[in-house]
Amino acid sequence: MERKNIKCHFISNTHWDREWKFSAQRTRHMLVTAIDMLLDIFEKEPDYKHFHLDSQTLPIQDYLEINPEKKEILKKYISEGKLAVGPWFCLPDEFCVGGESLIRNLLLGHKIANEFGKVSKTGYSPFGWGQISQMPQLYHGFGIDFASFYRGLNTYMAPKSEFYWEGADGTTIYASRLGQRPRYNMWYIMQRPVFYGKRDGDNRRVSWGAGDGIFRFADPARCEYEYQYSHRKYEYHDEYIAEKTEQALSEQDDEWTTPNRFWSNGHDSSIPDMRESRLIKDANAVYEGVDVFHSTVYDFEQSVIRDFDKNSPVLKGEMRYPFTKGSVSALFGWVLSARIKVKQENFETERLLTSYTEPMAVFASVCGAVYPQAFINKAYNYMLQNHGHDSIGACGRDVVYKDVEYRFRQSREIATCVLERALMDLSGDIDFAGWDKNDMALVMFNPAPFKRSLTVPCELEIPLEWECDSFEIVDAEGNVCPHQNISSINPMYQIVQDLADAVDVLPVSRHTIRIFVKDIPSMGYKTLKVVPKYHTRATTPVNMLCGINTMENEYLKVKINSNGTLKVTEKETGREYDNIGYFKDTGENGSPWEHKTPELDEEYTTVNERAIVSLVYSGELETKYRIVLNWAIPENIVDGGKKRSSRLAPYRIETLVTLRKGARWVEFETKINNNVPNHYLQVAFPTDVDAEFVYAQGQFDVVKRPIAKPDYSKYDEIPMTEQPMNSFVDICNENEGAAILNTGLKAYESDDDYNHTVYLSLLRCFELRIYVTPEEQNYSRIENGSQSFGEHTFRYAFMPHKGDWEDAQVWKAAEDFNMEILIGQTAPTEHGKNPLEKSFIELENENLHISAVKRSEDGLGCVVRLFNPSSETVKNRIRFNGGIAEISDKQSPIERQVHSFELPCTENRKWASVKKVTLEELSETELSVDTNGWCDVEVTPKQIYTLKYE
């Protein structure tokens, strides 16, 4: 076949799974070998022009912890462009983490790469399982206008490799699925035959006597380690060059619309090889019209852009399409429900760090405290290390998740220490003029970007020296805040810490209470006073009970059925929802990436079970019931996974159901001690809502997905029934809907059945099967972490509503559900300057959301990130700290101590400038600010809008 003007970009690279089959430390041992080899090649082989380090910078961090003396030589090669690092810190699965975490991942990747001289501005993303709808906007915000990926794409949607990709907000970038065998084509087609004499590069079988010195541990403690080649022969089989060059070309002849082809020479945890230079020269000599050359991912992407076919298809939104013949890979997206504890821990860590610790540290800094940047950086680094796609996707070995749990815990420990200091500084900076030193303040901190009136859980401690028999709680105007007593402990002897002194002891009684607090300012605080009461009489109890196993508040009436489900009545419309919250269990014979049901599966539900229902407590603010189901499900799958066992195992499910004053939802907390392998457990919400679509919270987006199953005949992979979400999924029409809120779960299923049931995935328990060759590696004989045995707790809520999800402000409700009020209990002093009630960030209308309040990357200001997940343009006004700039006079440690840790006085300076900046925090537009500190913003549908205050 005659070929002309074909440009084959030979990309030397690796795909570096930091932890998957191996722990991060074992992988790092290989990483040091890989980078040491690369540095040696760069020194000794001038024709080896470039190596792409898989779009990451975390490998550089890992390497330098072992070989710190190599920092300068790495700087040299990175700044020269020979070694490409970034733009990411690590390679995430985009659906398993929050949207703001993706931005922080890119920011940290850019920061590290820039410190070494150059960031690779490439959207090379051959990782994760699908692409989120907002990725074009995220990449564009970092100056990247090309994305290369293949999972979630098929030949039905993209017949050729190149296409336009339009994100949820309308941002359009260039994209490519990179042809056949996209990230390892040269590895199998050419490198294995030429370097190792394997004419069929796809043949993975090896003979014991091949002469390469196969080695393994044979002692019992280490016998499960993989074999290694101890003396791999160094060869070069040029007799395969012409044949394999032709194969590489012919496999992709019908894949491209431009002359540029992506010839990727890399594989999982592969190392560079000096023979690649010779391979490139020899392949280049085969055809006169074919130019094979050592290239870079960036040069490939830019070449495609120059030659781009303007008639290429435009693909819109998220990329989660099933596999079709001719496509490269199945979606393998079932990681959403693998090892759900990993996802829950990530959500807890993201929420603590991004919604609480970092904003509160910024607010304290604005008031004069020193900003703890190093601690914030360390906490983010630990957390983001866990966002690698195999780590957060939870498809690796058990040892990986011991390390993942450790890093999440370190991040939260650091974040909590920073948060404590920030809240202590902010509480201590309140002006308590007119208060007595024996008074007690409760400072209610609201992390949400909207004013809130709600029932707040509180663990109040009363000094025994007060000798009071009760107390009341009042606001600054003296209005009594209703509270409900739940329980108490008396006495307790609490430690009081001071680094400059020995610890002291404060005798107290602890009271678990609920307080109804009105109008806590957005991203701010409200101060309440605890007043001791003496010689009080009991009051007539008020509660929310309205019948047997029935409770109600202003919005909902909730009756517990005999099977443990709920009948929920939305009081404004009278609409009833029945059998809410039953459980469904089916068999599981899959893997982290795939859900496979047994051929003869049996479905079990709790619809016909009989529950044990008991009232835990009731009051005017909160009522809680306990529902216990002593269920039984098949103890395993049998007959090689073909069916479920006929023997049943006891399966106890305990759920606490809570209704609070002011809440538009009823809350569930389900506890399970999982003792059964190979099953798939979901909780069901038969909504009876007449709708064609569900709406799921995504990363800076609410994604609209059809309820009806797709046409299976179009695909060669069974489409997933489980879909990704963050904190809510909503089924609605223009008149009514039902939202299911959750804390840290990632997967739901919507069923086009008679009841339009929506399911949340709780547990998917499976054997750990890994396929690195056609033969399955089943690790279940030596470890069982993927079966998710042990205790689990799931928190979720059911929220019926009028109108669609936007009318019902479901995004706001999800934040209300998940952003708890922080409470500082403090004794007043004379050291504060701020009012008893304050909002640090005010939005004139509560129709925008905030994903970040942070110190700017250059350290010169503060950044506030707004976003608009709705379908309409939003005009709004924002004010930060009342228009007053950060106090610049920071104190030294001695100065803080000498001044009794009083923060400096306000300087009453206005912000010098407010700018709209990119996600990379490069300046775009100077914004005007009025005399009162308000700034006008206009945020288009689905837009992420970042402000920098200096």
Side-chain angles (χ1 to χ4, degrees):
M1 177 179 179
E2 184 181 7
R3 293 184 171 88
K4 293 182 179 179
N5 191 31
I6 295 176
K7 301 182 183 301
C8 299
H9 296 255
F10 191 101
I11 313 292
S12 298
N13 71 95
T14 184
H15 178 59
W16 204 260
D17 293 316
R18 186 176 188 245
E19 48 189 4
W20 173 41
K21 291 193 304 169
F22 310 116
S23 70
Q25 294 302 335
R26 187 163 176 80
T27 306
R28 171 152 64 182
H29 195 269
M30 298 185 286
L31 174 71
V32 170
T33 299
I35 294 184
D36 281 349
M37 177 70 76
L38 180 65
L39 296 178
D40 202 26
I41 291 172
F42 279 157
E43 179 183 349
K44 294 174 179 172
E45 175 51 79
D47 289 336
Y48 197 98
K49 295 189 169 57
H50 183 78
F51 190 82
H52 188 87
L53 195 55
D54 205 27
S55 301
Q56 307 183 61
T57 55
L58 180 51
I60 296 297
Q61 176 177 296
D62 284 343
Y63 176 80
L64 289 175
E65 287 178 0
I66 303 301
N67 288 337
E69 74 280 1
K70 300 292 180 67
K71 184 174 183 178
E72 292 307 314
I73 191 65
L74 283 172
K75 276 188 175 180
K76 167 180 162 58
Y77 291 130
I78 292 170
S79 61
E80 289 175 354
K82 289 180 72 69
L83 175 57
V85 297
W88 296 92
F89 174 62
C90 70
L91 306 182
D93 178 66
E94 298 162 19
F95 290 100
C96 287
V97 302
E100 183 61 30
S101 290
L102 294 172
I103 295 174
R104 301 310 180 90
N105 194 327
L106 284 162
L107 280 171
L108 183 54
H110 276 66
K111 178 181 179 181
I112 294 173
N114 281 320
E115 287 174 355
F116 281 81
K118 189 174 186 179
V119 60
S120 176
K121 291 283 192 177
T122 55
Y124 178 65
S125 315
F127 48 84
W129 297 278
Q131 300 281 320
I132 64 166
S133 62
Q134 289 280 31
M135 208 60 233
Q137 185 177 184
L138 297 189
Y139 271 146
H140 182 72
F142 283 86
I144 299 168
D145 289 314
F146 196 110
S148 307
F149 61 92
Y150 55 88
R151 284 204 183 101
L153 270 178
N154 59 38
T155 51
Y156 183 78
M157 298 303 300
K160 302 292 185 181
S161 287
E162 300 86 0
F163 58 96
Y164 293 104
W165 185 14
E166 181 180 322
D169 72 316
T171 298
T172 301
I173 61 177
Y174 302 94
S176 174
R177 59 175 173 81
L178 300 176
Q180 290 297 307
R181 308 203 213 195
R183 66 173 172 85
Y184 45 74
N185 47 17
M186 288 302 100
W187 187 266
Y188 285 104
I189 297 173
M190 295 194 74
Q191 174 155 316
R192 282 172 61 81
V194 173
F195 292 3
Y196 304 112
K198 296 177 180 288
R199 182 177 182 182
D200 178 5
D202 296 324
N203 181 8
R204 309 289 283 276
R205 288 297 179 96
V206 65
S207 169
W208 177 262
D212 293 308
I214 291 177
F215 170 85
R216 70 179 281 265
F217 279 117
D219 55 277
R222 283 158 284 273
C223 65
E224 298 296 343
Y225 280 72
E226 295 184 352
Y227 284 79
Q228 305 279 339
Y229 287 114
S230 63
H231 294 287
R232 197 71 189 271
K233 294 189 289 293
Y234 190 82
E235 302 174 337
Y236 191 88
H237 296 266
D238 56 8
E239 66 270 24
Y240 293 131
I241 291 290
E243 174 190 345
K244 295 305 174 180
T245 300
E246 170 60 28
Q247 181 182 343
L249 290 165
S250 61
E251 279 194 12
Q252 295 194 349
D253 275 339
D254 295 326
E255 291 284 302
W256 307 94
T257 62
T258 82
N260 303 282
R261 301 194 181 188
F262 190 79
W263 278 21
S264 175
N265 199 53
H267 200 262
D268 294 355
S269 304
S270 62
I271 69 172
D273 195 305
M274 189 168 67
R275 288 172 286 183
E276 292 173 71
S277 296
R278 180 179 172 186
L279 181 63
I280 293 168
K281 291 178 184 176
D282 290 349
N284 187 52
V286 174
Y287 290 104
E288 186 174 335
V290 177
D291 188 10
V292 181
F293 55 98
H294 215 173
S295 187
T296 71
V297 174
Y298 180 81
D299 286 346
F300 164 77
E301 292 182 348
Q302 295 305 306
S303 296
V304 171
I305 289 173
R306 284 193 296 271
D307 299 327
F308 208 82
D309 182 353
K310 306 305 183 205
N311 295 315
S312 296
V314 180
L315 304 188
K316 297 183 179 182
E318 64 181 2
M319 297 290 113
R320 291 186 59 81
Y321 297 104
F323 175 80
T324 56
K325 287 180 180 177
S327 303
V328 172
S329 171
L331 176 58
F332 293 139
W334 286 88
V335 293
L336 296 168
S337 52
R339 298 193 196 233
I340 195 61
K341 275 190 176 180
V342 173
K343 279 73 171 179
Q344 290 174 305
E345 280 208 67
N346 177 64
F347 181 85
E348 181 184 350
T349 308
E350 286 180 325
R351 178 177 57 178
L352 174 62
L353 186 50
T354 306
S355 298
Y356 296 103
T357 296
E358 193 174 34
M360 295 304 171
V362 167
F363 300 154
S365 176
V366 165
C367 293
V370 175
Y371 188 74
Q373 186 68 68
F375 281 115
I376 296 287
N377 289 349
K378 191 67 174 177
Y380 266 108
N381 197 296
Y382 272 124
M383 182 183 78
L384 292 173
Q385 286 180 49
N386 284 347
H387 287 186
H389 53 286
D390 294 313
S391 307
I392 196 66
C395 52
R397 301 283 300 277
D398 284 5
V399 64
V400 170
Y401 301 102
K402 294 177 182 178
D403 292 345
V404 165
E405 181 182 5
Y406 169 83
R407 290 191 291 263
F408 277 139
R409 188 171 68 252
Q410 299 311 302
S411 181
R412 291 196 301 268
E413 286 291 321
I414 294 168
T416 301
C417 291
V418 172
L419 177 61
E420 181 182 35
R421 180 71 257 179
L423 294 190
M424 190 156 51
D425 281 337
L426 288 169
S427 298
D429 201 35
I430 294 173
D431 181 2
F432 286 107
W435 289 50
D436 186 87
K437 66 179 182 180
N438 291 312
D439 287 338
M440 178 185 293
L442 290 180
V443 186
M444 302 283 177
F445 289 90
N446 173 17
F450 47 85
K451 185 183 293 185
R452 297 164 81 183
S453 298
L454 73 168
T455 299
V456 179
C458 177
E459 298 290 328
L460 177 66
E461 294 187 355
I462 300 295
L464 294 185
E465 66 193 77
W466 280 14
E467 297 183 345
C468 62
D469 50 27
S470 67
F471 55 86
E472 68 179 10
I473 300 166
V474 300
D475 63 19
E477 286 74 41
N479 301 308
V480 175
C481 299
H483 79 272
Q484 174 184 337
N485 294 310
I486 306 295
S487 63
S488 62
I489 303 174
N490 187 9
M492 295 180 71
Y493 297 92
Q494 298 289 53
I495 298 297
V496 183
Q497 294 276 2
D498 184 2
L499 295 180
D501 192 7
V503 298
D504 291 320
V505 175
L506 178 68
V508 300
S509 60
R510 175 177 288 181
H511 302 266
T512 299
I513 64 173
R514 302 294 183 262
I515 315 168
F516 190 78
V517 188
K518 293 182 179 179
D519 298 332
I520 308 175
S522 63
M523 288 198 157
Y525 63 84
K526 180 172 184 172
T527 307
L528 308 178
K529 180 185 285 189
V530 180
V531 180
K533 306 294 287 184
Y534 302 90
H535 312 298
T536 57
R537 293 183 176 182
T539 57
T540 303
V542 178
N543 61 50
M544 304 163 69
L545 301 178
C546 58
I548 298 174
N549 294 339
T550 307
M551 53 189 170
E552 65 179 331
N553 67 4
E554 311 96 299
Y555 306 108
L556 302 177
K557 181 178 179 180
V558 179
K559 177 179 173 58
I560 302 174
N561 298 320
S562 61
N563 63 2
T565 64
L566 306 185
K567 176 182 282 188
V568 180
T569 304
E570 206 282 319
K571 294 170 72 172
E572 185 177 359
T573 62
R575 174 77 152 80
E576 289 186 349
Y577 302 80
D578 205 2
N579 278 321
I580 296 299
Y582 72 84
F583 296 93
K584 182 180 84 169
D585 192 77
T586 53
E588 175 62 66
N589 192 30
S591 70
W593 305 277
E594 293 181 285
H595 166 56
K596 293 182 179 179
T597 57
E599 288 180 30
L600 303 174
D601 195 20
E602 291 182 87
E603 177 181 298
Y604 286 69
T605 76
T606 60
V607 171
N608 295 317
E609 297 296 312
R610 191 153 191 91
I612 300 171
V613 181
S614 58
L615 177 65
V616 180
Y617 57 77
S618 179
E620 64 174 314
L621 301 183
E622 181 175 293
T623 295
K624 188 183 299 288
Y625 280 92
R626 177 179 286 107
I627 302 170
V628 175
L629 288 163
N630 290 309
W631 197 21
I633 60 176
E635 66 178 11
N636 207 335
I637 53 176
V638 294
D639 293 350
K642 290 184 178 180
K643 65 180 183 180
R644 304 189 79 180
S645 172
S646 60
R647 297 178 57 179
L648 302 183
Y651 206 78
R652 185 179 190 272
I653 299 178
E654 178 182 311
T655 300
L656 297 174
V657 177
T658 304
L659 188 65
R660 296 189 179 93
K661 176 181 172 63
R664 291 184 175 271
W665 56 82
V666 56
E667 178 181 328
F668 302 76
E669 183 180 274
T670 295
K671 295 185 178 181
I672 298 168
N673 192 338
N674 183 50
N675 60 319
V676 172
N678 298 309
H679 72 114
Y680 182 28
L681 179 67
Q682 297 170 291
V683 59
F685 303 86
T687 67
D688 293 313
V689 174
D690 183 14
E692 297 181 26
F693 300 95
V694 292
Y695 299 82
Q697 185 189 53
Q699 289 71 8
F700 303 107
D701 191 14
V702 175
V703 182
K704 179 181 178 181
R705 300 189 182 107
I707 296 171
K709 300 293 187 291
D711 181 357
Y712 283 22
S713 66
K714 290 182 178 180
Y715 307 110
D716 298 290
E717 170 190 18
I718 295 176
M720 286 184 61
T721 53
E722 192 176 84
Q723 299 295 339
M725 64 173 176
N726 284 344
S727 292
F728 73 81
V729 58
D730 189 276
I731 180 170
C732 62
N733 53 43
E734 62 182 10
N735 299 314
E736 64 173 1
I740 295 96
L741 316 177
N742 82 86
T743 302
L745 302 178
K746 282 294 178 182
Y748 76 90
E749 176 186 349
S750 57
D751 196 346
D752 193 19
D753 61 0
Y754 178 79
N755 298 114
H756 274 182
T757 305
V758 177
Y759 300 90
L760 295 185
S761 298
L762 301 183
L763 291 173
R764 194 170 65 83
C765 312
F766 48 84
E767 295 180 352
L768 181 58
R769 299 178 174 95
I770 292 180
Y771 300 88
V772 292
T773 68
E775 296 79 13
E776 168 193 292
Q777 298 293 316
N778 191 331
Y779 293 96
S780 61
R781 60 187 177 78
I782 56 175
E783 55 190 55
N784 61 16
S786 60
Q787 297 287 7
S788 297
F789 291 129
E791 295 182 355
H792 297 266
T793 301
F794 307 100
R795 182 172 178 263
Y796 49 95
F798 180 73
M799 175 184 157
H801 59 78
K802 290 176 60 178
D804 63 18
W805 73 268
E806 291 190 64
D807 297 329
Q809 299 183 308
V810 175
W811 192 300
K812 183 177 175 181
E815 291 187 335
D816 210 1
F817 179 66
N818 279 315
M819 288 188 175
E820 64 187 8
I821 299 295
L822 302 175
I823 307 173
Q825 180 178 342
T826 189
T829 67
E830 300 176 350
H831 296 289
K833 59 180 177 291
N834 279 318
L836 293 172
E837 185 174 316
K838 179 172 182 175
S839 175
F840 286 97
I841 296 183
E842 302 164 87
L843 289 169
E844 190 171 73
N845 299 303
E846 295 175 350
N847 51 10
L848 290 174
H849 300 275
I850 294 177
S851 70
V853 179
K854 63 184 287 289
R855 177 71 70 188
S856 62
E857 292 297 295
D858 60 14
L860 301 178
C862 301
V863 163
V864 178
R865 188 160 8 263
L866 308 168
F867 66 99
N868 173 19
S870 77
S871 56
E872 301 292 333
T873 295
V874 169
K875 294 183 178 180
N876 209 328
R877 307 180 78 214
I878 185 172
R879 182 166 67 173
F880 186 11
N881 197 37
I884 303 301
E886 178 177 1
I887 293 173
S888 59
D889 181 22
K890 307 296 185 182
Q891 299 166 323
S892 73
I894 291 176
E895 289 171 333
R896 291 217 70 185
Q897 185 181 36
V898 168
H899 291 90
S900 299
F901 295 89
E902 178 179 323
L903 295 180
C905 296
T906 182
E907 297 165 347
N908 281 318
R909 291 182 302 107
K910 306 274 186 176
W911 293 105
S913 73
V914 181
K915 297 176 183 176
K916 182 178 182 294
V917 297
T918 67
L919 297 179
E920 195 178 349
E921 298 183 15
L922 304 178
S923 295
E924 285 189 313
T925 310
E926 185 84 28
L927 302 179
S928 61
V929 182
D930 70 16
T931 55
N932 294 317
W934 289 96
C935 179
D936 292 319
V937 295
E938 182 173 324
V939 188
T940 56
K942 313 289 186 179
Q943 184 183 12
I944 306 166
Y945 194 101
T946 306
L947 298 171
K948 181 181 179 184
Y949 287 80
E950 291 184 296

